[in-house]
Amino acid sequence: MGHLNDLESHGQAVWLDFVDRKFLNEGGLVKLVKEDGVTGVTSNPSIFEKAMGHGTAYDESLAAFDKANPDASAMARYEHLAIEDIQNAADTLRPIYDRLNGKDGYVSLEVSPKLAEDTDGTIAEAARLWAAVDRPNLMIKIPGTPEGVPAIAASIAAGINVNVTLLFSIEAYKAVALAFVEGLEARVAKGQPIDRLASVASFFVSRIDSKIDDKIDAGVGGDEAKALKGKVAIANAKAAYAWYQDFIASDRWQKLAAKGAMPQRLLWASTGTKNPDYPDTLYIDTLIGADTVNTVPPKTLDAFRDHGTVAETLTQDIEGARKVLADAERLGLDLDGVTTLLVAEGVHSFIHSFDDLLGAIAAKHPAAA
């Protein structure tokens, strides 16, 4: 039986995939930091839509902002509220950031999902949000789309911490890992420091199994494929981590490490189990390893605290993981097609949540009453 704070002994950080004004104000994050060793927070448009679009926790702050800025857009009003929450969470996590010399203690804020295919727009918004929040333990979330890759490199080069989101394929992960390195190398070339720059690569897990399992249930791959249900996403993550281990041992990375660079940690996202037939701690139990982060929704965090299992699992049976991926390809499960579709669906889902969020905030404007 394991507990969340036992994960630290295996080099894994636990971040909370949740932000809410009431939760922050009532000391919920402080409690998780103190009792469970939580060292970071992630947000996204879906999380903010649930937090801001419902209830009254934000009404007082919004009313004060509206009084001072009667002509503000719904976007400006959202950003005002989001920045307050992000600053609050960052300040709560700041002692961790200071104690670990910038190795952890981060909170993430996402650029607009509508910029997922706009490199220049992403670069500009990342810089603007970084300045607006004004906390060294902020990470700006940038999607790992083809257009996002150069924005990641540019943001790192500008000294902005980056959380790369919506990664599903190993090839996409490799591209953003190299973009991180390119950003660091650009700073080195200008004589700028790189020892306090942090990044994570958010590799999504459960959604892959949901798509692959649906294919298997529909008959793709026949009876042989049934043995792969619930295994492909974990195998994919293990293969990504194996590449990471090889890369940080490379000469190219070691040159940066010698100048104080911190590795871009793999972060396991979408770790709440979608299939009720699977253990509710599946995507934590099986992905524990050094220099990684697991960002966990509250329900899954509670489950792991209660009955999670702590062991070094990420590096176990790598050959078995490679066989799972090879079998998935041989049986026509088309992991590449699935991961491409998931990126598009993820962007669309975040845009939909973002539009719902702005609509809910606009509806609370006095002029809209």
Side-chain angles (χ1 to χ4, degrees):
M1 302 296 286
H3 298 285
L4 288 152
N5 44 23
D6 293 333
L7 293 171
E8 185 180 358
S9 65
H10 291 278
Q12 184 168 74
V14 177
W15 290 4
L16 180 68
D17 195 25
F18 178 74
V19 176
D20 177 88
R21 179 72 53 95
K22 186 170 182 285
F23 170 80
L24 292 171
N25 288 346
E26 293 180 352
L29 179 57
V30 172
K31 186 172 187 288
L32 291 178
V33 168
K34 183 178 179 180
E35 296 182 4
D36 293 312
V38 167
T39 57
V41 170
T42 47
S43 66
N44 62 47
S46 298
I47 289 172
F48 274 128
E49 191 276 326
K50 291 181 178 69
M52 296 179 190
H54 309 280
T56 60
Y58 292 85
D59 289 359
E60 184 178 346
S61 177
L62 188 56
F65 181 76
D66 286 342
K67 186 174 182 179
N69 305 274
D71 298 322
S73 66
M75 173 67 86
R77 299 164 85 229
Y78 149 72
E79 285 190 359
H80 169 72
L81 298 177
I83 288 168
E84 284 185 337
D85 277 0
I86 294 300
Q87 288 175 329
N88 185 338
D91 292 344
T92 299
L93 296 167
R94 183 63 185 267
I96 297 169
Y97 173 86
D98 290 339
R99 174 169 55 84
L100 298 178
N101 295 315
K103 291 181 172 61
D104 214 326
Y106 289 92
V107 58
S108 299
L109 176 63
E110 190 151 355
V111 298
S112 168
K114 295 183 179 183
L115 297 171
E117 297 178 349
D118 181 348
T119 300
D120 291 341
T122 297
I123 292 170
E125 180 147 320
R128 185 175 61 80
L129 291 175
W130 174 259
V133 174
D134 192 25
R135 297 294 190 275
N137 56 329
L138 172 70
M139 282 189 176
I140 299 296
K141 290 181 82 170
I142 296 175
T145 55
E147 296 83 1
V149 170
I152 293 159
S155 297
I156 291 294
I160 297 170
N161 304 315
V162 175
N163 176 340
V164 184
T165 188
L166 287 179
L167 293 173
F168 294 92
S169 76
I170 294 173
E171 290 307 310
Y173 162 55
K174 290 178 183 178
V176 303
L178 294 175
F180 170 61
V181 167
E182 288 166 10
L184 293 177
E185 289 171 340
R187 290 183 65 79
V188 170
K190 293 179 180 178
Q192 296 170 326
I194 59 173
D195 59 318
R196 302 285 286 196
L197 261 175
S199 181
V200 293
S202 296
F203 206 81
F204 284 54
V205 187
S206 66
R207 297 184 197 181
I208 290 175
D209 276 342
S210 295
K211 291 289 189 189
I212 293 291
D213 288 1
D214 284 348
K215 287 190 165 210
I216 294 171
D217 289 341
V220 177
D223 287 343
E224 188 181 355
K226 293 177 181 177
L228 299 179
K229 288 189 69 173
K231 295 181 179 179
V232 174
I234 294 165
N236 196 45
K238 286 187 173 185
Y241 186 71
W243 184 88
Y244 161 81
Q245 288 183 304
D246 288 342
F247 183 69
I248 61 169
S250 69
D251 288 343
R252 184 177 184 183
W253 174 255
Q254 288 301 315
K255 288 178 183 176
L256 293 169
K259 296 182 183 298
M262 298 183 290
Q264 181 189 57
R265 291 178 293 174
L266 270 161
L267 177 150
W268 312 124
S270 184
T271 53
T273 308
K274 303 285 192 291
N275 189 332
D277 294 334
Y278 298 157
D280 53 4
T281 60
L282 176 67
Y283 300 115
I284 306 180
D285 293 342
T286 55
L287 298 174
I288 299 171
D291 294 329
T292 60
V293 181
N294 201 315
T295 188
V296 189
K299 185 178 177 181
T300 307
L301 187 144
D302 290 341
F304 191 85
R305 182 193 298 111
D306 180 65
H307 52 266
T309 302
V310 177
E312 184 82 19
T313 51
L314 192 51
T315 54
Q316 289 180 3
D317 196 17
I318 298 301
E319 288 308 311
R322 291 191 173 115
K323 184 178 186 304
V324 166
L325 296 177
D327 287 347
E329 182 177 358
R330 176 174 58 82
L331 295 170
L333 293 174
D334 188 22
L335 179 58
D336 288 343
V338 164
T339 56
T340 298
L341 176 63
L342 282 168
V343 173
E345 287 185 350
V347 170
H348 177 78
S349 175
F350 281 166
I351 289 174
H352 182 73
S353 293
F354 201 63
D355 285 341
D356 285 349
L357 166 63
L358 295 181
I361 290 175
K364 290 187 175 186
H365 194 291

